[in-house]
Amino acid sequence: MSESVVLYGLKKCSTCVKAMKWLDANDVPYTFIDYREQPVDAKTLKDWAGQAGWDKLINRASMTWRNLPESQKSPASQEDYLALVADHPTLVKRPVAVGLAPNIVLGFSEKKYVELKG
């Protein structure tokens, strides 16, 4: 595991709060970046999508996704996904942990975090 983790998400998201509590309890240094206050730039999103795929990166179970018009629920290109996330940053699954593993880690699972911490 790297020296420091960057955790992206939403301050009030219960899953993000669980991840931060776990990192605190396990003395893992991290920086938290809220999607709403600091939207993720296109280059970073492309990198994440390259690692995980847009299908895993976009939270299709979210209220934001469910409230989208049907016409926006079938992005045909990377540019379509980027435009969608630019308009609705909360569509990105959360949290996204960078630096906890070689690749990004989507969501929070105590078991997975324990395995990554080693």
Side-chain angles (χ1 to χ4, degrees), residues 18 22 26 107-117:
K18 287 178 194 172
W22 188 92
N26 288 276
F108 172 72
S109 152
E110 186 170 342
K111 181 181 176 195
K112 184 183 253 182
Y113 274 41
V114 167
E115 289 170 1
L116 292 169
K117 186 173 185 255

Side-chain angles (χ1 to χ4, degrees), residues 27-39:
D27 297 320
V28 177
Y30 68 92
T31 302
F32 183 78
I33 296 177
D34 189 296
Y35 292 153
R36 284 195 176 110
E37 294 171 9
Q38 288 180 266

Side-chain angles (χ1 to χ4, degrees), residues 6 8 40-58 78-79 81-82 85 92 96-106:
V6 179
Y8 293 83
V40 182
D41 63 71
K43 181 181 180 302
T44 301
L45 287 169
K46 288 178 188 177
D47 180 50
W48 292 354
Q51 293 180 56
W54 285 109
D55 287 345
K56 289 184 180 167
L57 189 59
I58 299 296
Q78 182 159 264
E79 286 67 33
Y81 277 107
L82 291 170
V85 172
V92 177
V96 175
V98 177
L100 191 61
N103 292 317
I104 62 170
V105 178
L106 299 174

Side-chain angles (χ1 to χ4, degrees), residues 9-26:
L10 299 173
K11 284 181 190 167
K12 294 183 180 181
C13 167
S14 61
T15 308
C16 293
V17 170
K18 287 178 194 172
M20 288 186 281
K21 283 182 179 178
W22 188 92
L23 293 168
D24 288 336
N26 288 276

